[in-house]
């Protein structure tokens, strides 16, 4: 297990930092208009999601990274956890991860949380499949933009999180190829998976993908 040392709201890891972010007094990206049932993810559960993803990232071979001898390296990811309203409640950024992937990871997590519920589960891959030209969600990427909103991402790496059958948030991962991102996100979500019957691939008899 990767050792974490908590200092205030941050967990120091030596090479990188896990931030556990409180939501009190902050404006949430989504105004749900209702109070979700259930307590959501506890701090220790957020840490578990992040640790499971981080461990997977250290084992996942990168699509693009090589050392100076041309040997394939493992991935370097930004890992974001959001609550049901899209507020960031946890983050881990690996050393040398791409700076441009921070906002993408946030957007992936937001996308998965924004379009899932207690009765349906969609990933950012699902949204991508449905938003192709002539698809039912074509140009949905133009929505959910503006102050305080990370926008939508229409490619893999964002997966909703469920606890006792209820949506409690999502994980977003970015920093490599989209298949690598999604593999790491799946590892992070492994203890908080969506109930099989509500997954979009189950509901649509695999006409809309959930993950690869």
């Amino acid at each position: 297990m990767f050792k974490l040392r908590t200092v205030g709201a941050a967990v120091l890891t030596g090479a990188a930092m896990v931030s556990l972010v409180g939501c009190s007094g902050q404006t949430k990206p989504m105004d749900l208009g209702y109070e979700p049932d259930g307590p959501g993810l506890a701090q220790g559960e957020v840490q578990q999601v992040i640790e499971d993803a981080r461990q997977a990232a250290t084992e996942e071979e990168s699509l693009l990274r090589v050392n100076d001898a041309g040997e394939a390296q493992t991935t370097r990811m930004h890992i974001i956890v959001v609550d049901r309203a899209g507020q960031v409640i946890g983050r881990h950024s690996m050393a040398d991860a791409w700076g441009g992937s921070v906002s993408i990871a946030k957007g992936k997590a937001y996308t998965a949380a924004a379009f899932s519920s207690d009765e349906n589960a969609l990933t950012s891959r699902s949204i991508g499949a449905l938003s192709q030209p002539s698809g039912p969600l074509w140009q949905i990427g133009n929505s959910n933009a503006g102050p305080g909103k990370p926008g939508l991402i229409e490619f893999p790496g964002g997966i909703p999180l469920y606890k006792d059958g209820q949506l409690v948030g999502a994980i977003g991962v970015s920093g490599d190829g989209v298949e690598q991102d999604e593999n790491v996100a799946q590892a992070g979500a492994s203890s908080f998976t969506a109930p099989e019957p509500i997954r979009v691939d189950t509901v649509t008899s695999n006409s809309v993908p959930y993950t690869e």
Side-chain angles (χ1 to χ4, degrees):
M1 173 66 72
F2 193 48
K3 298 297 183 182
L4 305 178
R5 182 164 62 89
T6 304
V7 179
V11 181
L12 304 183
T13 65
M17 184 177 73
V18 176
S19 297
L20 300 174
V21 185
C23 299
S24 178
Q26 298 183 39
T27 301
K28 292 182 180 290
M30 285 184 278
D31 179 7
L32 296 175
Y34 59 87
E35 282 297 321
D37 293 331
L41 290 171
Q43 186 177 87
E45 292 170 329
V46 175
Q47 286 182 282
Q48 180 184 352
V49 171
I50 291 173
E51 168 58 18
D52 287 347
R54 187 208 64 82
Q55 182 60 43
T58 66
E59 299 169 1
E60 181 77 19
E61 184 173 305
S62 173
L63 178 68
L64 300 167
R65 289 178 178 270
V66 296
N67 64 15
D68 56 10
E71 299 165 331
Q73 300 296 294
T74 54
T75 60
R76 301 282 185 160
M77 299 294 198
H78 294 285
I79 302 162
I80 300 289
V81 179
V82 301
D83 64 14
R84 184 164 179 161
Q87 182 69 49
V88 175
I89 55 175
R91 170 182 171 178
H92 177 70
S93 292
M94 300 176 74
D96 199 38
W98 300 334
S101 285
V102 177
S103 61
I104 295 173
K106 289 179 182 178
K108 288 180 180 183
Y110 177 87
T111 301
F115 293 100
S116 296
S117 72
D118 294 345
E119 297 177 335
N120 78 284
L122 283 81
T123 65
S124 59
R125 178 186 286 273
S126 309
I127 296 296
L130 291 165
S131 62
Q132 295 302 302
S134 77
L137 299 184
W138 171 235
Q139 294 193 334
I140 194 174
N142 294 328
S143 70
N144 286 265
K149 295 179 181 286
L152 302 182
I153 297 294
E154 301 166 80
F155 47 85
I159 298 177
L161 301 172
Y162 285 79
K163 180 178 173 181
D164 299 326
Q166 295 181 323
L167 177 68
V168 289
I171 180 174
V173 175
S174 183
D176 212 273
V178 294
E179 305 299 339
Q180 288 74 19
D181 292 352
E182 186 175 73
N183 289 343
V184 172
Q186 282 188 272
S190 60
S191 294
F192 300 93
T193 57
E196 192 79 21
I198 72 169
R199 283 175 35 154
V200 68
D201 54 344
T202 303
V203 174
T204 64
S205 299
N206 293 311
S207 65
V208 178
Y210 189 73
T211 53
E212 182 62 32

